[in-house]
Structure formats: structure tokens, C-alpha cells
Amino acid sequence: DAAKAFAVDLQRIEGQQLETIEGPLETRALGRALNLASTQLFDQRRTIDANIAALRQQEAALADTNEQLRTIFALSPDALVSFDAGGRVSFANAAFFRLTGLTPEALIGQHDSVLDQHLRARVLDPAGYTPLFRLFDSADAAPAQLVLDRPRVTVLELVGRHGHAPAVSRLLYARDITRESAHRRAGLGLALEMRGMFQAGGADAAGPGAAVPAATVLLLTCPVAGLSR
């Protein structure tokens, strides 16, 4: 009776052992088998509990990492847009909506072709617009520039990258380079102006040695803004 009761409650017993059963050889063998089963079940339960605890810790760490990434993406000054495996927009951060004037309601869940339509309607040169899929043609595709005329004139540098998860099959990165472009154009204009002033001042005729002091004089005296200088 004791062995039978022990066997019935075996799944709820935490490693307890059945006291030595006196009796025939078969009865004693049964007692030893039940004790062994109790020990094995207890060890298995401890292993399962440890695995569950480790899994919960991993899930908590993963959730924390995901929250950090969401915060970084959401607060990034650069624009980020992710697409799922079906080509639909699964995420776009606040910077993207601020730079483009689009809204989450008009974009999230929409196919990338819809995003193309919205961007084409906002560029200075709709006829010269390059579809977004061209950015994902190859892993080393060169960045593209997009000049928007609304909500304000903005020059964006676009980079496309492929992801490794169905939820983020592709990632579009956009950086506002409006100021850089303005400075680059100003620098080019200054270089052309200085060349003309060099030629007009006869720096070439004075020989190579006159070029450096002449350049210094021009930089200090030519009528250009301080930032461009």
C-alpha cells in the first residue's frame, strides 16, 4: 500500500525516498525503482525550472534591448524607415515625419510604392525622381540625394540597406544635408571667384612662389561672408 501511494503521488514528490520495503525480492526491487524515479523526476524538474528562469531572464534582457533600440530610433535626428518582407512600411521615426511632412496615418502599413508617390509629390524635380527600390539594388549602392520643396526646402542623403529579419527586411536611412550642400556650393563659388581674382591679379605671371601669399591676401580681403571664408 505504501509503494502504491508513493507511485500515485510521484509527480508531486520533490525527491523524497520511499523507506525500505520489507518483503519479497520483487517488492524491494519496486521500492528501489520508485526511489530512482523520484530522484530523476526531481532532477528533471530542477533542470526545467532553471531553464525557465534563464529563458525569462533572456526575454527580459531582449525586451530591454528592444526598448533601448526603439528609443534610439525614435529620438534619432536622422530619419529611419523600415520595411517588412512584403515591402510595407513597418516603422518610421519622428525625424522622418518632421523632414518630409508625412504622417504615420498616411504611411505605416503602406507599400513602398505609396511612399514613393508621397516623396515624388514633394521633390523639386518630380520628373527626375529615382524610385526607392534603386537604393536596394546592391549592398554597396551609392547614397542618393533627394531635394524636397515641402514642407520646406530640404536636401536629404538616402541610403538603403537590407535587413536579416522578416519584420525589418529593408531599412531606409535619410540624413539632412541641407547645410552641408549650401556650404559646398558656397565653397565652390568662392573657389571660382578666387581663381578669377588670381588671374586678374597676375599671380600666374609672378611665379609659383607668389601663389601662397597671394592666396592669404585674398582670403583676408576678398568680400565674402565669414562662414564661407
Side-chain angles (χ1 to χ4, degrees):
D1 291 339
K4 182 178 180 180
F6 188 86
V8 170
D9 293 335
L10 193 58
Q11 61 179 351
R12 294 189 295 270
I13 293 175
E14 297 186 353
Q16 289 90 340
Q17 300 291 294
L18 186 66
E19 295 182 1
T20 303
I21 300 177
E22 301 296 336
L25 180 61
E26 295 81 1
T27 302
R28 294 196 300 271
L30 176 61
R32 289 192 297 270
L34 289 173
N35 285 338
L36 178 60
S38 176
T39 300
Q40 291 176 339
L41 285 173
F42 180 65
D43 291 341
Q44 291 175 1
R45 188 177 296 115
R46 285 195 303 180
T47 300
I48 293 172
D49 290 343
N51 290 339
I52 291 176
L55 181 59
R56 287 175 177 170
Q57 290 179 350
Q58 292 173 2
E59 290 176 345
L62 181 60
D64 184 59
T65 299
N66 288 338
E67 183 61 29
Q68 292 180 26
L69 290 176
R70 279 193 294 267
T71 301
I72 292 171
F73 290 160
L75 299 180
S76 170
D78 297 327
L80 295 165
V81 181
S82 64
F83 303 88
D84 63 19
R88 293 176 295 272
V89 177
S90 57
F91 170 83
N93 66 349
F96 182 81
F97 295 122
R98 173 177 53 80
L99 291 172
T100 63
L102 296 172
T103 63
E105 294 76 16
L107 189 61
I108 301 301
Q110 299 294 329
H111 199 269
D112 56 7
S113 60
V114 175
L115 176 56
D116 266 328
Q117 294 172 9
H118 284 303
L119 293 178
R120 184 181 287 109
R122 285 167 164 75
V123 297
L124 285 173
D125 180 21
Y129 177 80
T130 301
L132 293 177
F133 74 85
R134 295 285 180 83
L135 297 172
F136 302 96
D137 282 347
S138 62
D140 57 349
Q145 284 193 10
L146 191 68
V147 183
L148 304 177
D149 68 344
R150 58 189 176 98
R152 67 191 64 83
V153 176
T154 306
V155 183
L156 298 179
E157 182 181 68
L158 305 179
V159 177
R161 291 292 182 264
H162 289 275
H164 302 285
V168 187
S169 176
R170 291 176 298 164
L171 182 68
L172 176 65
Y173 168 81
R175 186 169 66 94
D176 185 354
I177 60 170
T178 306
R179 290 187 177 181
E180 295 177 26
S181 298
H183 292 165
R184 193 176 300 115
R185 289 193 299 271
L188 178 60
L190 176 61
L192 293 174
E193 182 180 354
M194 288 182 62
R195 185 178 67 178
M197 295 175 71
F198 254 32
Q199 293 172 349
D204 290 337
V212 173
T216 303
V217 172
L218 284 174
L219 284 173
L220 293 174
T221 60
C222 62
V224 296
L227 181 61
S228 297
R229 192 194 311 273

